[in-house]
Amino acid sequence: MAAISNAVANTCCSPSPLLRRRRATAMAERAQFLLAIAVVVRAFGVAAGGASLGVNYGQVADNLPPPQAAALLLRALNATRVKLYDADARVLSAFAGSGADFTVGLPDRLVPRLATDPSAAAAWVRANVLPHIPATSITAITVGNEVLSGNDSTMLRSLLPAMQSLHAALAACNLTARVAVTTAHSLAVLSSSFPPSSAAFRRELLPYITPLLAFLAKTNSPFLINAYPYFAYKADPGRVDLNYVLFEANAGVGDPATGLHYDNMLHAQVDAVRAAICRANYGKPVEIRVSETGWPSQGDDDEAGATPENAARYNGNLMRLVAQGKGTPAAPGEALQVYVFALFNEDMKPGPASERHYGLFKPDGTPAYDVGVKAPTIGGSWKGRGNGTTGGGAGGLVVAEGPGGADGAGPGTGFYTVSAAAHKVKRWQCWESLLFATVFLAMASGLCWS
C-alpha cells in the first residue's frame, strides 16, 4: 500500500513534459536577462566624481519591461541621470531611493493651458512632483519638446509664459533651488551652424529665444539641445566623413574665425549653439547640455550608416568623452553633460525604421548590439546628487583600455569604462556582487518576471 501511495505521489508531483519545457524556457529567459546585465555592468561603469552619464527613457512602445526592470538596467549602466518625456508615476516610484537625478517632461498639449492658468501649473506640480520628492530626486522639468522648431504660433507664444508659470508654482513650494525649468530644442532653431563661430538663431525666433535665454540665466537653468550627427551623415554620406561623426581618428575641421579645431561633429554642433547664444546678446551665459544624442542600430535601405557597428562606435566613443569630463573646444574646462538616446528600442515610434532602433537595449533587456569591451575595470558607486551636480571624487579617473587601444583611436572602439581609487573599486565590487546575488536568487526562486 505504501508503495502504491508513493507511486501515486510521485506521479502527481512530477511535472509533466510540457511543464518542464515551460520551466526550462523561463529559466533560459531569466539567464539571458542576467547575462545582459552582466555584459552591461562590465561595459558601462562611470566612477563617482567623473562626468555623469544621462540616458533618455522613452516609452513609445507596447512591449517594454516594467520600470523595475528598467531601473536594474540603468543601475547597471551606472547612469546617474535619467530623462523622461512625461512624469510617469510608475517610473518615479520605481526609482525611489535610487539616487538617480530625474528630468521629467510636461507634454506639449499642456503648454498653452499653463501659459494662461497659473493654477494649472500649481496643480501639475502637486500631482507630478510633490508626491515623489525627496524619495526620487527630480532636478529639472522640460516644458514641451522642440517647441520652437514647430510652426504652431500658439505654442511659440505660450512656451515662455508656461515656463514662468511652472517656475512660480515651484517657488510656492520652495523647490526652485532643487528643480530647474527648461525646454529642449532641435538644431533647427539655428539659421546656420558652420563654422561654429558664425552660428546664429533664426531671425524669426529671436523674439521668443532672447527672453527665454534671459529666463534661463535668471533661474540658473540649462539650455537643452537635441544634437544628432547621424542626421548630417544620413543626409550626405558621400561628403560627411563617417569617422568625424563617430568620434574616430580623422583630420578634423577648423574654424577660421577662432582658430579652434574640431575632431568630431557633436562638439562643433554644441559650440555652434554656444555662439548663437552669445550672438543673441541677452545677458549672462547659460550652461548648454545635450538632452538627446545617439545613433540607430538599424534603418531603412536609404538610411546610410544605421548599423549596429556604427551605433556601438558612436555611443562607445561618446561614453569615453563623458567619462573623461571633456568639454568642447570653445569651453574645454566645462564638462559636457550628455543624455544618450535611448534606453530601449521603441516599436511604436512613427517615421523611418531608424526611429525604432536607437535603443541601447532591446525590450527583453538584451543589448541591442555588441559593445565590444575588453576586460574593463569598473569603479565607483551609483550615487546621484540631489541638486543635480556631480561633485568631485577622491583620486583620478583612469580610462580602461578598449578594443581601439588605450588612446581610444581606431575602429571598433567599444564602450569605455572608468575606474577610480582602489578603495572605491572594492566598494563597487561589493555592490556588484550583491546585485548579481540578488538577481540569481530571484531567478532560482522563480520570482523574476513573475
Side-chain angles (χ1 to χ4, degrees), residues 282-293:
Y282 67 95
K284 298 188 299 181
V286 297
E287 178 190 2
I288 300 171
R289 297 180 186 175
V290 178
S291 44
E292 287 183 20
T293 192

Side-chain angles (χ1 to χ4, degrees), residues 247-336:
F247 307 96
E248 299 280 0
N250 66 93
V253 298
D255 187 324
T258 62
L260 295 175
H261 184 79
Y262 291 87
D263 59 11
N264 69 81
M265 183 177 287
L266 181 66
H267 280 177
Q269 291 175 335
V270 172
D271 277 352
V273 173
R274 195 184 313 277
I277 290 175
C278 292
R279 185 163 279 107
N281 192 29
Y282 67 95
K284 298 188 299 181
V286 297
E287 178 190 2
I288 300 171
R289 297 180 186 175
V290 178
S291 44
E292 287 183 20
T293 192
W295 196 282
S297 59
Q298 186 176 323
D300 291 322
D301 291 341
D302 61 348
E303 294 190 285
T307 68
E309 295 77 15
N310 287 340
R313 291 165 71 189
Y314 182 86
N315 284 321
N317 288 326
L318 175 66
M319 299 286 181
R320 178 172 58 86
L321 289 180
V322 171
Q324 292 176 344
K326 286 190 174 182
T328 66
E334 300 176 16
L336 183 62

Side-chain angles (χ1 to χ4, degrees), residues 355-444:
E355 288 293 323
R356 295 176 287 283
H357 292 90
Y358 273 91
L360 298 171
F361 294 97
K362 299 176 183 177
D364 63 2
T366 58
Y369 39 80
D370 182 7
V371 296
V373 173
K374 181 179 70 176
T377 300
I378 300 174
S381 58
W382 192 54
K383 295 289 185 180
R385 301 292 194 272
N387 61 0
T389 60
T390 56
L397 300 177
V398 180
V399 177
E401 183 176 352
D407 60 356
T413 298
F415 286 94
Y416 282 72
T417 59
V418 180
S419 59
H423 66 284
K424 292 188 176 181
V425 173
K426 291 181 180 178
R427 186 187 311 164
W428 166 264
Q429 290 171 341
C430 178
W431 181 90
E432 181 185 10
S433 298
L434 288 173
L435 169 65
F436 276 80
T438 300
V439 176
F440 180 81
L441 289 173
M443 288 171 54

